[in-house]
Amino acid sequence: MLVLLALPALLASPVWLMAVVLKLLSAALPGRRPDWAMDLLRWCAVMAAVAAVGLYLIGLGAVDVAAHESASGTDSAPSPSCRDIPPDVRRHLAGYRPSYLPLGFDCVLDDGTTFSSSALYTWLNGLVAACGLGAAALMVAWGFATERRARAVSPAVPPAPRP
């Protein structure tokens, strides 16, 4: 089910990349608008948020595919995602545990410990967090810059005296 969300995110990735490149080129070339810096800051914040959501959806799809492969079919035991672990550890496999927040697919050993099936999820979690925090930081910077610009345009009005 979650794969249906991941496929559009995966297919939209090249379009997102082209939009980012074109926007950065339009900001670097002469003839840009006078408020190009504020526009670029806001646009980068939105694109970072879109990247975080897209990467998370792709990760959800990857976890869902791994869980589906492990739950169905004649070749599902041991889990296909857990077959790459060392043979001495593979003998102690007892099951698997998908995780959707944070993204991950862990192989559970018979003593209850877990063994990560892939470093892909570590990278995806890091990229989602970096894009999300970057989007938040850019939005805060845009808010501060907007406030600073508004204060610079309006003259300072002294407070009215108290009667």
Side-chain angles (χ1 to χ4, degrees):
M1 173 74 174
L2 296 174
V3 174
L4 297 176
L5 294 173
L7 287 176
L10 191 61
L11 294 174
S13 300
V15 175
W16 176 86
L17 183 62
M18 287 184 353
V20 168
V21 169
L22 289 174
K23 184 65 172 185
L24 292 177
L25 282 175
S26 72
L29 295 175
R32 56 187 174 250
R33 296 180 356 199
D35 64 339
W36 69 274
M38 296 296 291
D39 181 51
L40 185 64
L41 191 61
R42 182 180 61 241
W43 191 85
C44 286
V46 170
M47 286 297 110
V50 167
V53 170
L55 286 168
Y56 186 73
L57 289 176
I58 290 170
L60 280 178
V63 170
D64 198 43
V65 165
H68 179 70
E69 284 181 339
S70 302
S72 61
T74 56
D75 194 28
S76 61
S79 173
S81 297
C82 297
R83 291 182 187 161
D84 294 336
I85 61 178
D88 57 325
V89 177
R90 193 178 325 143
R91 285 181 290 166
H92 300 286
L93 278 176
Y96 63 91
R97 182 177 24 210
S99 172
Y100 297 102
L101 191 65
L103 297 170
F105 190 85
D106 295 332
C107 305
V108 179
L109 303 179
D110 54 8
D111 63 354
T113 60
T114 59
F115 193 90
S116 182
S117 67
S118 175
L120 167 74
Y121 303 112
T122 305
W123 280 97
L124 278 173
N125 285 326
L127 288 171
V128 167
C131 288
L133 290 173
L138 287 168
M139 284 305 286
V140 168
W142 178 73
F144 280 135
T146 302
E147 180 68 23
R148 195 170 115 209
R149 178 177 275 185
R151 287 185 183 185
V153 170
S154 66
V157 178
R162 292 184 142 184

